[in-house]
Amino acid sequence: MPDMTKTDPAKAEAAPSPAAPVGAQPTEKARSLWGDAWADLRRNPYFLVSSVLIFFLLLVATVPSLFTSADPTRGDLVNHFLAKPELGAIGTPGWLGYDGQGRSVYARLIYGTRASIIVSVCVTLLVTAVGSFTGMIAGYFGGKTDAIISRITDIFFGVPFLLGAMVILQAFVSRTVWTVVFALAFLGWTQITRVMRGAVITVKQADYVHAAKALGAGTPRILLRHILPNAMAPVIVVATIALGGYIAAEATLSYLGLGLASPTISWGVDISAGASQIRVAEHILFYPSIMLSITVLAFIMLGEAVRNALDPKLR
């Protein structure tokens, strides 16, 4: 009698695999926090609109000659305060009129983008680097190190931001873009420090950090490979939103005569010059103010979109 418990190998290979349950969905590959955030950002209209605006502003700041061939410093008193739209077609030097020295408002608007973008981006990079380092050291080591860094941070927090920047800039005879960057970055790192410190205190309690310590990983490796990447999300959000604030701060200081000064071309400088001529030629004040508002709004919208994407509670 043949053994019925044995299976023919040929039949076993030909046998179809069990069918999947009806209605079962194929398993998806798990995504990280950054992957989920990017998937959410691509569907967010605020992110798309702000990204297009910021890309355009960066392009203008990098290659202003693509948008105008006029010299923003060259004036002709024949065009003194001319502001009629029929002076030229869109994109021509006389499109938005001229200022008191006969200089093209449109050309100065285009070339003024560079100073505002350079100041805001450089300040943001500096305060993010300094704040992330100090906050990471304070949150990871704790104890006296945390107490010292926190008290220093509190002292800087006690200084009003714009007032402190005005006092610092008064010490410089000539104020350039890098002078303004230094003054704003010197006082702007405190918020990033506090955010990073709180994030590191939370992250260092994670199991993967304890596992890295148990495996003998050194402190620099733990900080750079395990702590920093997982604590950067809130810092990126704060830095992105603050970037728009630094643009407004630079324009405010220039408007008060304590930031950038002529011959540097800046929206704040033109707003300051146009404020005294608002009854005669309001277009000198109007156009740079509109550009400043749009730029600040674009970076704030980007920061809000990033914040909503990186915070699961807000989805």
Side-chain angles (χ1 to χ4, degrees):
M1 180 181 294
D3 188 0
M4 302 299 296
T5 60
K6 295 183 180 180
T7 306
D8 188 357
K11 293 182 179 181
E13 293 179 0
S17 58
V22 178
Q25 298 294 333
T27 58
E28 296 183 358
K29 184 179 179 180
R31 292 185 300 191
S32 64
L33 173 64
W34 300 102
D36 287 336
W38 175 240
D40 184 74
L41 285 173
R42 288 182 296 178
R43 299 190 301 267
N44 192 327
Y46 290 100
F47 173 76
L48 299 177
V49 172
S50 61
S51 297
V52 171
L53 287 174
I54 291 171
F55 175 78
F56 173 74
L57 291 168
L58 292 175
L59 183 63
V60 171
T62 305
V63 195
S65 58
L66 288 178
F67 301 89
T68 181
S69 59
D71 185 354
T73 61
R74 183 179 180 275
D76 188 350
L77 292 180
V78 175
N79 300 321
H80 177 73
F81 283 145
L82 287 180
K84 296 181 180 180
E86 59 266 21
L87 286 174
I90 294 177
T92 58
W95 176 40
L96 301 179
Y98 297 88
D99 62 6
Q101 300 180 35
R103 299 173 299 189
S104 170
V105 172
Y106 174 67
R108 294 186 65 82
L109 200 67
I110 294 298
Y111 279 87
T113 307
R114 176 176 295 177
S116 298
I117 295 297
I118 288 177
V119 169
S120 58
V121 171
C122 290
V123 172
T124 302
L125 292 176
L126 280 176
V127 300
T128 302
V130 175
S132 298
F133 176 77
T134 55
M136 186 167 56
I137 296 300
Y140 183 78
F141 291 102
K144 293 183 178 179
T145 303
D146 184 17
I148 293 173
I149 295 177
S150 297
R151 297 298 76 79
I152 294 174
T153 304
D154 292 339
I155 292 172
F156 276 85
F157 252 119
V159 180
F161 183 68
L162 280 178
L163 180 60
M166 291 166 59
V167 173
I168 294 173
L169 289 172
Q170 285 280 21
F172 294 91
V173 177
S174 61
R175 293 183 289 273
T176 63
V177 169
W178 305 114
T179 307
V180 177
V181 168
F182 168 75
L184 295 177
F186 183 74
L187 298 171
W189 57 273
T190 52
Q191 186 177 13
I192 299 292
T193 297
R194 284 192 170 182
V195 172
M196 176 59 85
R197 174 183 175 273
V200 170
I201 289 176
T202 302
V203 170
K204 74 176 185 179
Q205 306 298 330
D207 293 337
Y208 55 83
V209 176
H210 293 299
K213 291 180 180 178
L215 292 173
T219 300
R221 180 180 177 85
I222 293 175
L223 289 174
L224 297 178
R225 296 291 299 273
H226 301 286
I227 299 290
L228 184 61
N230 293 284
M232 280 300 296
V235 172
I236 292 175
V237 173
V238 173
T240 307
I241 296 176
L243 198 151
Y246 294 134
I247 296 176
E250 178 273 321
T252 302
L253 292 171
S254 299
Y255 175 80
L256 295 174
L258 296 170
L260 300 177
S262 186
T264 303
I265 305 171
S266 167
W267 293 336
V269 173
D270 289 347
I271 291 173
S272 178
S276 59
Q277 305 293 337
I278 188 171
R279 296 186 179 181
V280 179
E282 66 278 357
H283 65 284
I284 303 176
L285 173 67
F286 179 74
Y287 293 118
S289 299
I290 291 296
M291 283 295 294
L292 177 66
S293 301
I294 292 175
T295 304
V296 173
L297 179 62
F299 281 104
I300 290 177
M301 288 173 57
L302 178 65
E304 288 293 328
V306 174
R307 181 176 68 91
N308 294 336
L310 291 176
D311 191 348
K313 297 179 182 178
L314 299 178
R315 296 179 185 175

